[in-house]
Amino acid sequence: MSDALHIVLDDTAMTAAGQGNVLASRLIHRAHAEPGWYLYAPACALVEADRARPGTAEHLAALPGITVLDLDLPAALALAGRETWAAAHSEYAARPTPDRPDGAIIATASPKRWHGEPVRLLDLTA
C-alpha cells in the first residue's frame, strides 16, 4: 500500500467545488500544497460539470494541483457500453494502474449514484 493519496473528482465533485464546497476546496488545496496528494479530473466528467455549471472546466483545468485525464483509446473502449460517460470515465480513472497500484478514490457530491459500483468513495456532502 502506497502512502500517496489518489483522488478522482467526478462531475458532481467538480460542480460542488465551483459552488464553494469546503471539502472539495480542501482537496484542491492539498493536491496543490502537499506531496503525495494527487487529484484527477477525467475529461468526460469535466465536460459534464461544465454543462451543469459553465466555466467549471476552464477553472479546474487551470489549477496546478489537478491533472486532467484524457479520453484515450482504452478509456473510450471501457466507456462505450455505459449509459453516462462522466461517471464511466471517473470509474475507469479510479481503477488500479501501474502508477496507482491501489487505484484511486472517487470524490463525489452524489454518493447514491455510485451505489453498487465497485469503487471507493469520498462523500463531499458529509
Side-chain angles (χ1 to χ4, degrees):
M1 185 101 169
S2 170
D3 287 338
L5 187 58
H6 298 275
I7 299 172
V8 173
L9 297 172
D10 75 358
D11 57 307
T12 67
M14 294 179 202
T15 304
Q19 294 172 329
N21 180 286
V22 174
L23 295 175
S25 295
R26 286 180 186 166
L27 286 176
I28 293 167
H29 172 74
R30 286 194 164 179
H32 174 67
E34 294 185 30
W37 282 71
Y38 301 94
L39 206 51
Y40 304 97
C44 292
L46 197 57
V47 168
E48 201 57 40
D50 200 69
R51 286 180 179 166
R53 183 172 166 74
T56 299
E58 187 175 355
H59 175 73
L60 288 176
L63 295 173
I66 296 179
T67 301
V68 176
L69 301 176
D70 294 331
L71 181 62
D72 58 10
L73 180 58
L77 294 174
L79 303 181
R82 302 296 295 268
E83 189 172 317
T84 66
W85 283 26
H89 199 190
S90 297
E91 182 200 342
Y92 177 81
R95 293 179 185 172
T97 67
D99 293 340
R100 298 183 303 273
D102 298 323
I105 298 166
I106 296 178
T108 185
S110 182
K112 289 181 182 180
R113 154 200 272 181
W114 296 100
H115 182 74
E117 296 293 332
V119 296
R120 296 179 294 157
L121 294 180
L122 176 59
D123 183 353
L124 299 180
T125 64

